[in-house]
Amino acid sequence: METRNYTLDDVEPTYRPMIIDGEDVQARSGETFTRLSPAHEVEVTSFPQGGKDDVDRAVLAARKALEGGWRKSSGSERSKLLLKVADLVRRDAEELALAETLETGKPITQSRNEVAGTAELWEYAASLARNTQGDAHNTLGPDTLALVVHEPIGVVGMITPWNFPLLIISQKLPFALAAGNTAVIKPSESTSATTVMLGRLIREAGFPAGVVNIVTGDRVVGSAIAEHPGIDMVSFTGSTGVGKSIAATAGRDLKKVELELGGKNPQIITPNADFTAAVDAGVFGGYFNVGQCCNSGSRLIVHRSIADEFAAAVVERAQHMRVGDPLKSDTLVGSLVNDTQLAVVERYVAEGRASGAHLLTGGGRLDTGLDGRFYQPTVFTDVTAQMSIATDEIFGPVLSVLPYDTLEEAIGIANSTSFGLSAGIWSNDINEALTAARDLRAGTVWVNRWMDGYPEVPFGGYGQSGIGRELGRQALAEFSELKTIQLQVGTRHTRWVDAPDAPRA
């Protein structure tokens, strides 16, 4: 993998048009908006400021492509195109990684890893395109055969967040395309570049015009997608509050929704755990992507007998993390995405202090010599399950250490929030680990590991963490409708037609 460093001398502001019906287009309004690098406060990209009219154009193009043949294209055809996109992503990996880093503020090494993961998502979806299977029922009687087949839902609206823009659209789009759908996509206005760049690779791969359409802009575009009568399904990743709003809007037309929302994810650390590995996971889970991650392991639920030692070890690691310029390959933690998110983190840290939690380290902005939004890795102890820093998704580099005495108590603390995205248990006692894995209310439970994922296994949450699943074979089901076809075999005996000699009324 590439290891070079970049400087601002390598940055040229770039204008990136939207893609509708296979063409680069401007917004009907003629307006544009600009993105500044959150780590450097310099202009990096600008885009058309799309609106409702542009969504109308995109939906019309997607509907035309759907009915024009894409819906009935073969799995082989779809698979070959998806594989071509994976190849093109690898070809342009460094360009994509740099664009991702400039807009998100995440370290360039992390962006490179995410681009590599993106290519694997497209490859796995390609394998599913040729393996969509239905059912046949041959036990319904001598004259009946029933088939159950999967069909594409139609036009899917996709609204994605700013924290993992390339990776998250690739957890949705290739699976929807593999199932035979078309798409209208709205990336976050903070991080639109790699989604638009991906759209160009999709076009280069040979996908028919209109199969994938990308409209850049603010929440006006997102609302237009959720409300549009020509869109059959909405797939959204983001905050729980916005997800509820989208579900309510889509529900008026009974659109299907798939929502991947927030998390307040616990890691239970038992006395017999691999201490060093658990500390590493605690630090990684809390500070990866500056904590701006729905899977952030921000609640460390640690047995009381080791809680102080564990917290001290986490602090030691946190204080020596390389936080700074994301363009350097040795940086581990970059910048928060914008001033709004910085203010959110500062508010929660203040609430933690006011509620009686003990601040062990961090708790303020970090001077790196850059004009960015850098924040110190932060650790609180003496945290109770009722404090806002233990119940709310902060989306920042803030860890809370909560002590427990029994495994039952630890599981109760873990399950005490409204979220249920992911959870973890660190234990070398197999019975203890499996007990926790079965009782934790979360869509993903990691045992003696944290935050690794694979295209083959589904991802999603319980409760306020969302509806539906992404990835795995289950992703195709999310983007499909089931149809039952019943066939008559042989001559059917009539039931409601009168016999020839029956008396008439």
Side-chain angles (χ1 to χ4, degrees), residues 43 56 137 168 186 188 285 339 358 361 402 415 433 462 498 500:
E43 180 180 339
D56 289 340
H137 295 265
I168 288 177
K186 180 218 173 291
S188 167
D339 290 333
H358 178 55
T361 191
L402 297 86
N415 291 339
Y462 291 14
D498 291 336

Side-chain angles (χ1 to χ4, degrees), residues 133-137 146-150 481-486:
Q133 299 174 349
D135 295 300
H137 295 265
L147 306 177
V148 180
V149 298
H150 296 261
E481 294 277 21
L482 285 180
K483 175 180 284 185
T484 298
I485 303 172
Q486 297 186 32

